[in-house]
Amino acid sequence: MVSTVKPEHTKRRDKFLPIAILAVMFFIFGFVSWVNSILIPYFKIACELSNFQSYLVAFAFYIAYFVMSIPGGLLLKHIGFKRGIMYGFFLMAAGALLFVPAALMRAYGIFLVGLFTMGTGLAILQTAANPLVTIIGPIDRAAQRMSIMGVCNKFAGIISPLVFAALILKASDKELFAAIPSMTDDIRAAALDELALRVVWPYTCLSVLLVAVGIFIRYSVIPEINTEEESEEIAIAHAGKTGIFQFPYVILGAVAIFLHVGTQVIAIDTIIGHANSMGMDLISAKTFPSFTLTATIIGYAAGIICIPKFISQTNALRACTMLGLVLSLCIIFVPGHVWFKGHETGLSIWFVALLGLPNALIYAGIWPLAIRDLGRFTKTGSSLLIMGLSGNAILPLVYGHLADAAGTRQAYWVLIPCFLYLIFYAIHGHKITSWTN
């Protein structure tokens, strides 16, 4: 695969600026995505939902990856990366703007349409951004660059729930949430209408910001990457291949990403609900997603320092998948309690937060292994891998169903088969280059 950009022949400034701009993009991705950890319990209250219904927030947002990734890849192939990125930001802005009529009518269905539209824009952006990060420098340092992007993404994830909570929640809401069940229908409807209206200005401002960023990216120094040309060696290796399904390690990698991102979003988006099951209200529990994301940033920092100097990205992936399995088992089986903010919390919630540590480098490890040496199939392969992000939509619903049936702690059983498969891919699955083998 040949790129129109040759980092080794460019000036330091020409190397740094595209990576810096991509880092800003990943910050925005994280800011928009991880606010769902607050939206889920917020909509559960404002729209009077069950656990399963509230996790439709994640489903509507992330199922767009499954539906739109292939069309997004075709769009990028037709118009190029930079214009595609601009259109992706415009779609996200349109989705944010839909929150205005949704809030005015307190219509959960319109909120979900807005989230799906935002997810569609983000699917296009991720389809463009991930290959750019991988291709823009040496492949053996791809996990390191992905870790840098991950730090930006998860740092945004730390602050976005806190910013959102500061904008829409009040200190007096503790009393409001406690009083809602005992209110008369008219008074409760008025209180919930007022609660829903609090999202109007934040999402209107977000819409304007996303439009501005899209225009900026269109005319920035981010290079157009030519993935259609192939080196002679790769062209020979791909002789006779007609489609992406002839690359088993890509298909298995898409499944790995599906399961990994599902475990990641469960660790972040369900932790408040798990805290609620221990008697903590939304105001007290709002910081827990930040703990998971802080652990994730620590993991990314370790990856930036250690890969590939002290450990290869493949071995780092193996270690992280095994640690993820151990922590998942600890969530379910390790007893004990600690006090936090005047509440007695189970140790299990801290193991959920610690899942951020191994989850940091799993995505960064899978992506370069799954996208390697694809040549003219790179955009299609990228689209397929981005489809795997729909795991963020499906697995939280599985968790929500199990939480309604068996409790929030037992619902974490959903993590066990996910990490077992990830261990398989890290050790063997990424080596499979032919279905006949």
Side-chain angles (χ1 to χ4, degrees):
M1 177 174 57
V2 177
S3 163
T4 56
V5 178
K6 299 184 182 298
E8 67 274 18
H9 294 153
T10 59
K11 296 179 181 178
R12 184 180 182 85
R13 175 178 175 275
D14 294 334
K15 295 179 184 178
F16 174 77
L17 279 179
I19 293 177
I21 292 171
L22 286 169
V24 172
M25 286 176 56
F26 273 82
F27 178 89
I28 295 171
F29 300 166
F31 195 92
V32 172
S33 301
W34 298 118
V35 77
N36 289 343
S37 62
I38 286 288
L39 283 179
I40 288 169
Y42 172 77
F43 284 144
K44 184 180 180 183
I45 296 170
C47 298
E48 301 178 287
L49 309 172
S50 68
N51 282 316
F52 179 83
Q53 290 170 326
S54 68
Y55 285 113
L56 288 173
V57 167
F59 178 84
F61 189 84
Y62 291 112
I63 197 64
Y65 287 113
F66 182 81
V67 176
M68 298 306 299
S69 289
I70 295 296
L74 296 174
L75 176 69
L76 292 173
K77 190 170 184 177
H78 180 66
I79 66 175
F81 280 103
K82 292 175 71 172
R83 287 177 62 193
I85 288 172
M86 180 178 69
Y87 294 151
F89 274 110
F90 288 175
L91 274 171
M92 288 180 68
L97 208 56
L98 280 173
F99 272 50
V100 176
L104 292 173
M105 293 182 281
R106 194 159 60 90
Y108 188 47
I110 300 177
F111 278 122
L112 295 179
V113 173
L115 287 163
F116 178 83
T117 305
M118 294 179 73
T120 297
L122 196 54
I124 295 172
L125 291 169
Q126 292 270 29
T127 303
N130 283 280
L132 280 170
V133 175
T134 303
I135 295 170
I136 208 166
I139 190 65
D140 65 336
R141 291 184 176 271
Q144 185 183 61
R145 292 190 299 278
M146 293 294 288
S147 295
I148 293 172
M149 302 303 148
V151 168
C152 298
N153 183 277
K154 298 310 183 292
F155 177 70
I158 289 175
I159 65 174
S160 66
L162 301 179
V163 170
F164 186 76
L167 291 173
I168 68 167
L169 297 178
K170 304 174 184 177
S172 60
D173 285 341
K174 285 187 178 183
E175 291 75 19
L176 173 64
F177 297 155
I180 283 174
S182 60
M183 291 178 178
T184 64
D185 291 345
D186 290 344
I187 295 175
R188 183 172 67 251
L192 295 179
D193 286 344
E194 187 275 332
L195 186 63
L197 286 172
R198 297 180 191 178
V199 303
V200 170
W201 281 110
Y203 273 84
T204 301
C205 295
L206 177 63
S207 180
V208 173
L209 175 64
L210 291 171
V211 169
V213 172
I215 294 171
F216 167 75
I217 296 293
R218 171 66 180 85
Y219 298 101
S220 71
V221 296
I222 289 181
E224 285 288 355
I225 301 295
N226 180 5
T227 59
E228 299 304 308
E229 297 180 15
E230 296 178 326
S231 67
E232 182 179 352
E233 179 182 355
I234 291 179
I236 293 172
H238 291 175
K241 291 187 176 180
T242 57
I244 197 65
F245 287 95
Q246 293 172 290
F247 297 85
Y249 62 89
V250 181
I251 310 304
L252 297 174
V255 175
I257 286 178
F258 177 92
L259 296 174
H260 159 62
V261 297
T263 67
Q264 186 177 57
V265 80
I266 284 174
I268 297 168
D269 285 358
T270 70
I271 195 167
I272 290 179
H274 191 37
N276 294 156
S277 73
M278 299 173 184
M280 297 185 72
D281 56 51
L282 177 57
I283 304 297
S284 300
K286 67 183 181 183
T287 56
F288 273 106
S290 298
F291 298 150
T292 308
L293 289 161
T294 299
T296 305
I297 286 183
I298 293 171
Y300 280 129
I304 293 169
I305 294 169
C306 297
I307 299 173
K309 186 175 182 180
F310 299 109
I311 186 172
S312 71
Q313 55 193 19
T314 304
N315 285 335
L317 175 62
R318 291 168 179 164
C320 288
T321 54
M322 292 177 186
L323 179 58
L325 178 62
V326 170
L327 289 173
S328 299
L329 292 170
C330 288
I331 293 170
I332 300 166
F333 292 113
V334 174
H337 295 82
V338 295
W339 284 88
F340 180 75
K341 291 187 176 182
H343 295 272
E344 188 179 27
T345 62
L347 279 176
S348 61
I349 199 168
W350 299 103
F351 288 119
V352 176
L354 283 174
L355 274 177
L357 188 63
N359 273 336
L361 297 181
I362 293 177
Y363 185 86
I366 293 171
W367 188 273
L369 293 177
I371 202 72
R372 71 186 189 275
D373 299 334
L374 290 184
R376 67 185 183 274
F377 299 104
T378 298
K379 286 193 177 94
T380 307
S382 175
S383 297
L384 190 66
L385 294 177
I386 293 299
M387 285 179 70
L389 296 179
S390 61
N392 285 328
I394 305 300
L395 291 181
L397 286 182
V398 176
Y399 174 90
H401 176 73
L402 293 175
D404 284 333
T408 58
R409 184 175 182 181
Q410 293 302 313
Y412 286 106
W413 271 105
V414 69
L415 299 174
I416 305 304
C418 298
F419 280 109
L420 287 173
Y421 178 88
L422 291 170
I423 291 170
F424 155 75
Y425 187 78
I427 294 174
H428 180 67
H430 73 276
K431 299 177 183 178
I432 301 175
T433 58
S434 171
W435 295 115
T436 58
N437 294 328

